Amino acid sequence: MDEPYKVLYSAELGRYGVAARDLKAGEVVLEDRPFAVGPKVDSSPLCLECCRPVDGGRGGPKCPECGWPMCEECAADKQTIVYHKKECSLFAKHKAKFQAVEDSTASCMQLDCITPLRMLLAKEEHPERWDAEISVMEYHNESRNGSATWQQDQQNVVGYLRFPCGLKDRFSEEVIQQVIGILDVNAFEVRTSKGYSARGLYPKLGVMAHSCVCNVVHSIHPSNDFRLIARVAIDVPEGEKLYTIYTHSLTGTSTRQGILTSSKFFTCHCTRCLDPTELGTHFSSLKCQKCDNGLIVSSDPLDDGAEWKCTDCEYKAKGTAVQKVVQLMQAEVDSLTSMAHGPGKLTAYEKIFKKYRSVLHPSHYINISIRHSLIELYGRVPGYEMQELPDILLERKIELCRDIQRVLDILEPGKTRSRAMILYELHGPIVMLAQSMYQQGVLDGAPLKERLEEAANMLDECASILEWEDSTSPEGILANVAKQSAEQLKDSIKILS
């Protein structure tokens, strides 16, 4: 079969991918292996093999060879060490010591050198891949040069690697800064085999252009050397651009643009970003407090300082004032994440959801994030476990899931991980409510069968998407659970027939 995509070039986008033929949703576009994997910038002390957070103090767990952070589990089995091996030898040879830190929850600047170092060592080991795939990647040298971040990297990474680590004669300052820039601009988040966050550089995926409504999704398999597999989430006709997303789709335009301009050095002009309503979802819109039906939207979504106007009356507000109000609300919601996982947390989220109901559009991203938290709590905390939920709370969870699903259909369309997870959350209360109504004599026969079949179809679709994930990941494990649950439900439906 012909290659699924081809690479083109434009002055605006640089290299970008387009569909070389008609592609069907779920079809594999590319597979890639990382050039390097390692800690993200500003990480707190962590194991340099699995990225598990560790105590960075003098008494914390260390690699027995070089003395840099390593969890006890990884340190106990040298045969499993893969990613830390080469830098370990370098640190030991040059006696480059890790400096203990007092606060193991704060960012540890010394670890910022790890992933760039792994990139440099990979450059020496695979020069042909560096020349063909990595050296051509954008790193925005002119935008970065001389900035506060550049100067910090010059001291903490460039200077440290060239002198204490003995790399002065192997790598120039320019090459090290190039590597730092390539990582900052192009790296994607990954999860290690033990579930901890890191970053990896995938040059093939890096070719894809960015859009805040993407048509390419990817899964990363840490159990298979972090191999990446990218698929189209929707049908893509021949010649259409292939888009991935460099930020999080379920954040508002201001937040996304802030991330893109500060770390990727460009402003996104996709249709979503240019639309004050975010494709009709009103993902960032507020309710007008001066009239009954108006919504307050930005007059220019790409300018944080632009005026916000009501769609139904003459009310106007300064963009900075709107941003400040939203930030205060977001901070209040964020404060709930540290609460113990229990009924009190559920009650707190419901209370704050009700508090902002008259201020935020129902589909505002803060409300969507609260809904996500609520559906994870309903059915899982004491007093609210699935078997205990009364019909009214089963209906509540169904409503929350469907509200999120409607937004995902627009902002993350197609076969996406987010859709699969919502489908799994949604099937449970649908089945439980149907069973409750059957026991009450309210529902039987064809209507009962129809609801159970709807839930079974949700499980089938969920499993078909999540089976693309690493089999050892929570999502991969859930794929098997969904398959088994679907089969059990289908057996129950056969009895009704």
Side-chain angles (χ1 to χ4, degrees), residues 4-5 17-27 29 214-216 231-243:
Y5 78 101
V18 300
R21 51 180 168 78
D22 291 346
L23 301 174
K24 292 294 183 183
E27 188 172 346
V29 177
C214 63
N215 55 21
V216 173
R231 293 175 167 83
V232 285
I234 57 175
D235 293 347
V236 179
E238 180 180 352
E240 186 166 313
K241 291 187 181 72
L242 295 171
Y243 292 106

Side-chain angles (χ1 to χ4, degrees), residues 69 82 97 107 121 123 159 176 228 240 344 372 388 415 427:
V82 176
K97 301 296 184 182
S107 60
L121 297 177
K123 177 181 184 294
I176 299 176
L228 177 145
E240 186 166 313
H372 269 293
E388 303 173 311
K415 297 179 179 292
H427 95 276

Side-chain angles (χ1 to χ4, degrees), residues 10-235:
S10 75
E12 177 189 1
L13 298 174
R15 297 181 305 149
Y16 65 96
V18 300
R21 51 180 168 78
D22 291 346
L23 301 174
K24 292 294 183 183
E27 188 172 346
V28 173
V29 177
L30 62 87
E31 296 189 30
D32 202 4
R33 66 189 194 280
F35 193 72
V37 172
K40 297 194 291 187
V41 175
D42 294 330
S43 291
S44 57
L46 47 72
C47 172
L48 294 187
E49 184 63 21
C50 72
C51 291
R52 180 202 304 267
V54 297
D55 179 2
R58 289 185 175 82
K62 301 289 191 299
C63 170
E65 304 297 327
C66 68
W68 282 63
M70 180 170 287
C71 71
E72 294 175 356
E73 185 177 343
C74 290
D77 189 356
K78 294 181 182 179
Q79 300 303 316
T80 64
I81 303 302
V82 176
Y83 303 99
H84 175 57
K85 186 177 295 183
K86 291 186 175 63
E87 73 219 23
C88 179
S89 300
L90 185 77
F91 292 153
K93 177 181 177 181
H94 294 281
K95 296 182 173 56
K97 301 296 184 182
F98 176 75
Q99 303 299 317
V101 296
E102 293 184 5
D103 184 359
S104 292
T105 64
S107 60
C108 179
M109 290 189 295
Q110 195 174 6
L111 297 185
D112 287 352
C113 75
I114 298 298
T115 311
L117 174 56
R118 292 179 183 179
M119 281 274 290
L120 293 167
L121 297 177
K123 177 181 184 294
E124 287 186 329
E125 187 174 359
H126 306 288
E128 70 295 332
R129 194 176 178 202
W130 169 270
D131 291 339
E133 300 180 21
I134 310 302
S135 65
V136 295
M137 298 184 82
E138 182 59 73
Y139 61 102
H140 294 285
N141 187 57
E142 291 183 2
S143 299
R144 295 175 56 254
N145 196 336
S147 67
T149 301
W150 170 285
Q151 293 169 359
Q152 181 175 301
D153 289 335
Q154 188 71 19
Q155 178 179 342
N156 296 332
V157 180
V158 178
Y160 186 76
L161 292 179
R162 296 189 79 228
F163 295 100
C165 294
L167 298 179
K168 181 177 180 294
D169 297 328
R170 290 164 64 178
F171 302 107
S172 67
E173 292 185 2
E174 291 74 19
V175 167
I176 299 176
Q177 280 286 5
Q178 179 185 10
V179 161
I180 294 169
I182 288 174
L183 282 168
D184 287 350
V185 174
N186 300 281
F188 285 86
E189 183 174 8
V190 305
R191 294 280 172 179
T192 68
S193 58
K194 294 180 182 177
Y196 301 103
S197 183
R199 59 175 171 164
L201 185 71
Y202 295 88
K204 289 183 181 178
L205 187 63
V207 168
M208 302 303 165
H210 162 86
S211 172
C212 293
V213 181
C214 63
N215 55 21
V216 173
V217 295
H218 66 269
S219 55
I220 295 173
H221 298 250
S223 64
N224 187 15
D225 297 326
F226 289 97
R227 182 169 293 275
L228 177 145
I229 302 175
R231 293 175 167 83
V232 285
I234 57 175
D235 293 347

